[in-house]
Amino acid sequence: MNHIKNQHNFSSLTMKMWNIEVLKLENEILEQQLTIQPALIILMMGEASLERVDRTIQMSKDVVYFCPANTTFGISGKNAGSVSVVIIYFGWYKESEMSSRNQLEEVNVATVLHNIYDFTLSSADRLNLICRSIYDHSQSDEDFKRWRAQIEFQELLYEMLSSISLQSPSEKKQGLDQTREYIDNHYSDDLTIEQLASIADLSPKYYMDIFKKTYGQSAMEYLAQVRMNKAKQLMLGSQRIVREVAHTVGYKDEFYFSRKFKKEFGLSPSAYIKKRKNKIAIYGSSSLLGYLIPLHVIPYAAPLHPKWSRYYYNFLGPDIPIHLDAYRLNHNKIANLERLQLSQPELIICSPGLEAWERERLLQIAPVYQLPSDCEGWQNQLRWLAHLLDKHEEAEQWIAAFRTKLKSLGCGGDSLGKTQGSQTLLTARLHHHELISHRNLGMREVLFENLGFLAPPLLDNYSADVTLTVKEIKKIDADYMLLLVRQDSETLQYWRQLQSSPDWMTIPAVREGKFHLLSSYPWREYSPMALEQMVEQTPKFFSGNCP
């Protein structure tokens, strides 16, 4: 393990396991969540895929998967059936060089692990046994056994590091992931299965079989997908003719490229360019996409992330050439502004509330148009945007279709308030260890104005959100309760403890099956698309067409 020792003095490091969870998914998906602390993920039972940020891989039972702090991950079962995974949250610490009192400071775990994210151990059975023992001892009432869990966790870390002791990080990198990255970077080359299999150090036949089994498509299908998506970006981002685009992405025959493009996207390359001739960029919130989609407008640049804007990421990702960073409400503003500068959009549509320096910088790139504030309502916002983009007919058609959808639920018209006048609904959110009453604009409009629910009397006097205890929720005694749980590791850990507690289970709405969880999208967003999906989701929370 010489290459590790040369960089880190392990005897000076302190390892701490903060929490271990065993999650059982029955035909379910663990949505992408933010992990505040570094995490290890191990598949114990079943078949599942792990999604880390924007990469999805098939999990193996002899591999420990590492997720750095402040990144996202999600898990989905490959086939119907049970999936069991262990998630361990931990940290590494060292003595502070700035303190003479032997204080500890946190170490970047990713650098300690040489930015390796997958550790293949010698035995899946032994890995399973270690994880079960760590979990069992960590749950013991005896302090001595919980201490043993910490020791066993360090043993797991030792075995992970030992698994790479005879290899360089580049040699350890899994062959399939390496070839997929090679395709991403060399899609214009004349790639063959034999060449890719050689990179993975596998026989061509085995490579073809294992690639398709792992990623759900063949290596050549993946290559074609990368080429087509890159072609769309080139056609929208430059003045290149179709022949140049075809050659750039690896097709020598432009006519074959055109046929393949039309088969994939339903439009010829020239028709696609004509349809997407305007280079519109959106800046700030990805919720602006919820206004453009009803107008049948796809922007050239937009903030996208597989967790914070998952619906738009999956729905529009390949059609938007420039993906701005949407990590945690657009933290990386400078980098996004630089990307916009390079993309040279014709106009920029942004969210309300820009800082002065942001607006000044945006104006140096292209004309800037700011969506009116939410208080004007989504219909006025949509009509404003339709006027800007000359899409009046599309806006009115969408608004009319939305009203029809409301009425189709049996909840439309002037009788809404009368229909639901006797039903009370508590909407709340869970953030870390706090339960907070919560009625955002979308909830107010769909649940309380359109569907006619009433806020519980004990909350009528509060115009803002208020913190609640479980006892106070019991006292409120709402007919129904809907809850938004923040998707981060700390909040989710507390939520798993809370929902199994006796106090929680005796809340009337919970006991009577009138409690439901809300997903982040659409319920945290205020946009035409989000409201439409709220209306579509609502019937499943209540009995009949309307609650």
Side-chain angles (χ1 to χ4, degrees):
M1 201 150 52
N2 291 333
H3 70 282
I4 297 175
K5 288 184 178 179
N6 288 339
Q7 196 169 40
H8 296 283
N9 180 5
F10 276 75
S11 63
S12 68
L13 295 180
T14 297
M15 298 79 163
K16 173 69 175 179
M17 179 181 69
W18 292 112
N19 186 49
I20 178 171
E21 301 173 343
V22 177
L23 301 184
K24 295 183 179 179
L25 308 175
E26 295 286 346
N27 302 321
E28 299 173 18
I29 294 177
L30 182 67
E31 291 187 7
Q32 279 225 5
Q33 58 182 261
L34 173 68
T35 177
I36 305 299
Q37 300 158 323
L40 301 178
I41 305 174
I42 301 101
L43 177 65
M44 302 284 281
M45 182 177 70
E47 295 184 49
S49 296
L50 173 66
E51 186 176 340
R52 284 180 296 199
V53 189
D54 60 352
R55 280 285 188 182
T56 301
I57 58 174
Q58 180 65 27
M59 298 182 73
S60 176
K61 295 184 179 68
D62 60 349
V63 178
V64 179
Y65 299 91
F66 168 60
C67 293
N70 295 312
T71 61
T72 62
F73 72 87
I75 299 171
S76 59
K78 184 178 179 183
N79 300 310
S82 298
V83 170
S84 177
V85 294
V86 168
I87 304 177
I88 302 174
Y89 299 99
F90 69 106
W92 268 348
Y93 306 86
K94 68 176 182 179
E95 292 183 6
S96 173
E97 298 176 358
M98 305 297 294
S99 173
S100 59
R101 303 181 65 180
N102 295 328
Q103 294 181 346
L104 294 177
E105 62 181 27
E106 193 164 3
V107 174
N108 185 336
V109 175
T111 62
V112 177
L113 299 179
H114 289 270
N115 294 310
I116 299 172
Y117 299 97
D118 305 333
F119 298 83
T120 303
L121 273 59
S122 58
S123 168
D125 290 339
R126 172 160 173 74
L127 177 57
N128 189 299
L129 185 64
I130 292 175
C131 291
R132 291 185 184 280
S133 184
I134 293 173
Y135 180 78
D136 290 342
H137 287 138
S138 70
Q139 303 302 304
S140 174
D141 293 333
E142 299 179 32
D143 183 65
F144 195 67
K145 288 186 177 180
R146 292 197 301 272
W147 176 54
R148 181 174 179 178
Q150 294 289 341
I151 296 173
E152 290 171 327
F153 169 66
Q154 295 192 32
E155 179 67 23
L156 174 60
L157 292 175
Y158 177 81
E159 294 204 15
M160 287 168 53
L161 291 170
S162 296
S163 73
I164 60 170
S165 62
L166 300 177
Q167 307 170 28
S168 69
S170 61
E171 290 172 331
K172 172 63 183 71
K173 189 168 183 62
Q174 288 191 354
L176 291 180
D177 274 349
Q178 191 172 356
T179 61
R180 198 158 73 154
E181 287 187 12
Y182 189 86
I183 292 171
D184 291 342
N185 296 322
H186 299 84
Y187 56 85
S188 60
D189 295 350
D190 189 13
L191 299 178
T192 65
I193 288 294
E194 288 74 19
Q195 182 183 357
L196 295 171
S198 176
I199 294 171
D201 197 22
L202 299 170
S203 70
K205 185 179 186 308
Y206 182 68
Y207 173 76
M208 288 191 296
D209 291 342
I210 196 67
F211 192 101
K212 187 161 189 176
K213 180 180 178 183
T214 302
Y215 301 119
Q217 61 185 157
S218 71
M220 291 297 104
E221 288 171 338
Y222 180 72
L223 172 60
Q225 176 184 306
V226 172
R227 285 174 169 175
M228 289 295 107
N229 288 336
K230 186 63 179 179
K232 287 197 295 187
Q233 295 178 13
L234 291 172
M235 284 188 285
L236 297 179
S238 68
Q239 301 300 316
R240 299 186 189 190
I241 60 177
V242 173
R243 181 175 66 253
E244 291 176 344
V245 172
H247 293 172
T248 301
V249 300
Y251 292 102
K252 297 177 182 178
D253 184 342
E254 65 179 285
F255 300 105
Y256 174 75
F257 164 74
S258 295
R259 291 195 301 271
K260 198 168 184 65
F261 189 95
K262 186 172 184 179
K263 182 179 179 181
E264 180 72 18
F265 302 116
L267 290 171
S268 68
S270 56
Y272 181 78
I273 293 172
K274 184 177 180 180
K275 182 179 179 180
R276 299 284 307 280
K277 61 182 179 180
N278 295 325
K279 292 177 67 174
I280 298 170
I282 63 173
Y283 175 84
S285 172
S286 57
S287 65
L288 289 169
L289 289 166
Y291 291 84
L292 290 179
I293 292 174
L295 303 179
H296 308 299
V297 174
I298 301 176
Y300 178 74
L304 290 169
H305 191 280
K307 168 177 162 47
W308 283 279
S309 55
R310 187 176 187 85
Y311 174 78
Y312 301 124
Y313 182 89
N314 292 336
F315 183 56
L316 291 177
D319 290 312
I320 299 178
I322 305 298
H323 290 193
L324 303 180
D325 195 327
Y327 174 74
R328 303 191 76 179
L329 297 179
N330 195 23
H331 276 27
N332 301 314
K333 294 182 177 181
I334 298 297
N336 280 342
L337 289 166
E338 290 174 351
R339 294 206 74 190
L340 273 183
Q341 179 79 52
L342 292 173
S343 68
Q344 299 181 325
E346 296 175 11
L347 62 89
I348 301 170
I349 302 168
C350 62
S351 310
L354 281 183
E355 296 183 53
W357 71 269
E358 284 180 278
R359 184 174 180 82
E360 183 179 346
R361 178 71 184 277
L362 288 170
L363 285 169
Q364 295 172 2
I365 300 172
V368 177
Y369 299 88
Q370 182 172 293
L371 193 73
S373 66
D374 290 345
C375 64
E376 295 193 26
W378 66 267
Q379 295 188 37
N380 288 331
Q381 290 176 314
L382 185 63
R383 287 179 170 128
W384 173 89
L385 189 58
H387 177 75
L388 174 68
L389 302 177
D390 193 21
K391 295 283 185 178
H392 302 278
E393 185 177 347
E394 289 85 349
E396 295 307 320
Q397 287 177 350
W398 202 93
I399 291 171
F402 179 81
R403 291 172 176 166
T404 300
K405 187 164 293 188
L406 271 179
K407 291 182 179 181
S408 72
L409 295 177
C411 302
D414 297 331
S415 63
L416 283 176
K418 298 176 183 177
T419 304
Q420 301 303 330
S422 61
Q423 301 285 330
T424 58
L425 171 64
L426 171 61
T427 51
R429 60 188 174 95
L430 179 64
H431 179 252
H432 292 173
H433 291 194
E434 280 192 317
L435 280 163
I436 306 162
S437 69
H438 181 64
R439 279 179 283 171
N440 59 32
L441 279 175
M443 292 177 180
R444 288 176 185 274
E445 183 165 334
V446 171
L447 298 173
F448 295 94
E449 294 176 18
N450 291 336
L451 297 181
F453 274 107
L454 297 177
L458 292 178
L459 294 177
D460 267 350
N461 296 329
Y462 296 102
S463 58
D465 296 349
V466 293
T467 302
L468 300 170
T469 64
V470 173
K471 288 184 179 179
E472 288 171 333
I473 291 175
K474 284 185 183 180
K475 186 177 179 181
I476 288 170
D477 192 18
D479 294 310
Y480 293 90
M481 180 178 173
L482 301 176
L483 179 67
L484 268 169
V485 177
R486 191 174 188 264
Q487 298 296 298
D488 68 74
S489 54
E490 182 179 338
T491 303
L492 290 169
Q493 178 187 340
Y494 178 71
W495 167 236
R496 283 187 275 272
Q497 297 171 355
L498 178 64
Q499 65 181 324
S500 61
S501 67
D503 281 348
W504 178 264
M505 290 188 287
T506 55
I507 293 174
V510 175
R511 188 180 61 243
E512 296 168 14
K514 296 181 178 180
F515 163 80
H516 298 279
L517 288 175
L518 298 177
S519 55
S520 295
Y521 181 83
W523 294 94
R524 290 186 62 193
E525 181 175 309
Y526 186 72
S527 75
M529 283 297 297
L531 264 68
E532 180 186 55
Q533 293 201 30
M534 289 180 199
V535 169
E536 291 175 355
Q537 289 184 15
T538 297
K540 73 179 182 181
F541 298 143
F542 312 102
S543 59
N545 289 330
C546 274

